[in-house]
Amino acid sequence: MAKGFDTEPLPESDRAPACLHPRETYDLLGHSEAERRFIQAQQSGRLHHAWLLTGPPGIGKATLAYRMSRALLGGQSLMPESLNIPKSDPISQRIESRGHGNLFVVNRPWDSKTKKFKQDIPVDLIRSVGEFLQGTAAEDKESRVVIIDSADDLNRNAENALLKMLEEPPSKTVMILLSSSPGRLLPTIRSRCMAVPLKAVPKADIVDWLSRQGQGSKDMVEACANLSRGGPGKAMALAQNASEVLMPLKRFMESLDTGRVSIDIGIAKSLATQNAAVARALFWDVLEDSIQACAVYSQTDLWEGAFAPPNNKRNPEKWLKAWSLIREQKAIEAAINTDKTATLLNTLSAVRAA
């Protein structure tokens, strides 16, 4: 029997956990002002050649980038003054199937040997963008669109190569850069882009959106919204990983005034497996935000965390010390290879003892 081909699609670094890819997402929650700015620029005939969409992860940068791309490549909106181009549009179908010849997407590549994503976007990928821009348009429309998700992942050589393209942009080309930490980009790159900062989506809008999609109980939806940092994508990821992230967080927060180390051990072990990488990253975030909420609550009596506030407020300085420890341990784990069970267990124990 002939050996079959592996048809399993490669992982994509720009796909949020348990969510549709942004090219498959047609609704955008919030950011109407950002869309209005782009539409006005496009209609004026003076469209800037580079756009820098900024905001925290999960806020909708990539979804907006694909909505812009559909419009640039000739998609037809259902409504005037809108980027609501439907899934049924031929342009949408080409983009969703990754078959549109005038769209080039750059993100961290998958290493098939290590079974991990590369740590950065190498300069070779940016050089491929240059080749794409110099080639003949593959579709009837002459416009070309490049999405870089995320520009934060560019290594320094790649940044310098991109800068040259931004300094001498080809005609009828639009580059859309996404960044969660624009301050880390070269100032010369930022200065050559039209900056579009995306604001946090109101909590009430996220709650309503999750509820309409049937993403859990009222309490769980509220928790997802509280811990989303104003990002619908982050809220959806939390909802999809509630049993691995939010329920353990709830058990931990409710037991803070006890010595139930068994809870800490269970959480640390469950999030140390290779398959739990996404849930672990989310847990670090929500733990950090929850302890920060405790610090604010102990000082102001204002509770903005998930679930119920702790019975024992503790001294604000102790909460801040615990919060700093969480951030420190999260950064260390991201930088070097550590014992994941021990790192998280020691952190949870230290927070409990604070």
Side-chain angles (χ1 to χ4, degrees):
M1 182 181 293
K3 184 178 180 180
F5 291 101
D6 184 4
T7 58
E8 184 73 18
L10 293 177
E12 299 173 279
S13 61
D14 53 350
R15 180 188 291 271
C19 297
L20 290 174
H21 190 280
R23 67 172 174 270
E24 304 164 336
T25 304
Y26 293 87
D27 294 328
L28 180 65
L29 187 63
H31 315 314
S32 58
E33 179 58 32
E35 286 205 349
R36 192 176 302 113
R37 283 183 59 191
F38 173 77
I39 292 170
Q40 290 174 348
Q42 186 181 30
Q43 293 177 342
S44 72
R46 298 187 297 273
L47 189 67
H48 201 276
H49 70 281
W51 295 70
L52 177 60
L53 310 184
T54 64
I59 202 167
K61 299 185 297 295
T63 299
L64 175 57
Y66 276 95
R67 286 167 69 88
M68 294 165 63
S69 299
R70 295 183 195 110
L72 288 166
L73 295 172
Q76 299 299 309
S77 175
L78 294 173
M79 299 177 289
E81 306 296 325
S82 168
L83 296 180
N84 286 326
I85 298 168
K87 180 183 178 72
S88 59
D89 188 280
I91 298 299
S92 298
Q93 293 176 11
R94 287 197 187 108
I95 290 175
E96 185 170 328
S97 65
R98 291 185 282 185
H100 200 295
N102 284 18
L103 174 65
F104 195 100
V105 180
V106 178
N107 47 44
R108 283 188 298 133
W110 175 256
D111 190 327
S112 57
K113 293 183 178 179
T114 64
K115 304 298 182 183
K116 295 180 180 180
F117 290 108
K118 299 279 189 178
Q119 291 189 345
D120 54 30
I121 295 174
V123 66
D124 290 347
L125 268 180
I126 300 302
R127 289 173 180 156
S128 297
V129 172
E131 296 171 2
F132 164 74
L133 296 178
Q134 292 170 8
T136 303
E139 300 284 340
D140 293 335
K141 299 293 181 181
E142 296 181 6
S143 298
R144 291 181 178 86
V145 180
V146 176
I147 297 175
I148 300 181
D149 185 7
S150 158
D152 302 334
D153 295 329
L154 295 166
N155 65 28
R156 186 46 55 94
N157 289 335
E159 278 194 279
N160 288 327
L162 175 62
L163 178 59
K164 293 180 180 179
M165 296 180 196
L166 294 175
E167 290 173 337
E168 300 177 1
S171 61
K172 296 183 179 179
T173 294
V174 175
M175 304 187 75
I176 307 174
L177 283 62
L178 280 58
S179 174
S180 298
S181 304
R184 294 168 52 189
L185 300 177
L186 289 173
T188 43
I189 286 181
R190 298 198 306 269
S191 66
R192 284 165 173 78
C193 296
M194 180 69 70
V196 183
L198 301 188
K199 300 178 182 179
V201 176
K203 173 189 166 183
D205 292 351
I206 295 178
V207 168
D208 179 66
W209 177 66
L210 290 176
S211 298
R212 283 188 281 109
Q213 299 187 57
Q215 293 298 325
S217 65
K218 180 180 178 182
D219 288 346
M220 199 57 65
V221 165
E222 290 275 351
C224 292
N226 280 337
L227 295 167
S228 69
R229 301 181 182 177
K234 180 73 172 289
M236 179 59 74
L238 289 170
Q240 298 285 356
N241 290 272
S243 60
E244 296 83 9
V245 178
L246 295 184
M247 293 309 297
L249 174 71
K250 186 173 187 288
R251 290 195 297 272
F252 177 74
M253 296 299 293
E254 289 177 346
S255 68
L256 266 179
D257 296 326
T258 72
R260 297 174 64 184
V261 182
S262 59
I263 291 179
D264 305 350
I265 296 174
I267 294 173
K269 286 185 175 180
S270 67
L271 294 176
T273 65
Q274 186 174 357
N275 294 334
V278 170
R280 184 181 183 86
L282 289 170
F283 186 83
W284 274 117
D285 285 348
V286 298
L287 178 64
E288 175 187 337
D289 290 351
S290 296
I291 298 306
Q292 183 182 36
C294 289
V296 173
Y297 177 66
S298 66
Q299 187 76 22
T300 65
D301 283 334
L302 177 64
W303 177 245
E304 294 184 344
F307 311 116
N311 294 324
N312 185 353
K313 291 185 180 180
R314 303 186 187 179
N315 187 296
E317 293 182 358
K318 290 185 176 181
W319 285 122
L320 289 174
K321 183 179 179 180
W323 175 75
S324 297
L325 174 67
I326 294 168
R327 289 171 59 86
E328 177 185 330
Q329 292 303 308
K330 183 170 71 168
I332 290 174
E333 184 176 277
I336 61 176
N337 189 18
T338 62
D339 184 322
K340 288 182 166 44
T341 301
T343 299
L344 188 52
L345 177 57
N346 291 339
T347 302
L348 295 175
S349 299
V351 172
R352 190 181 293 279

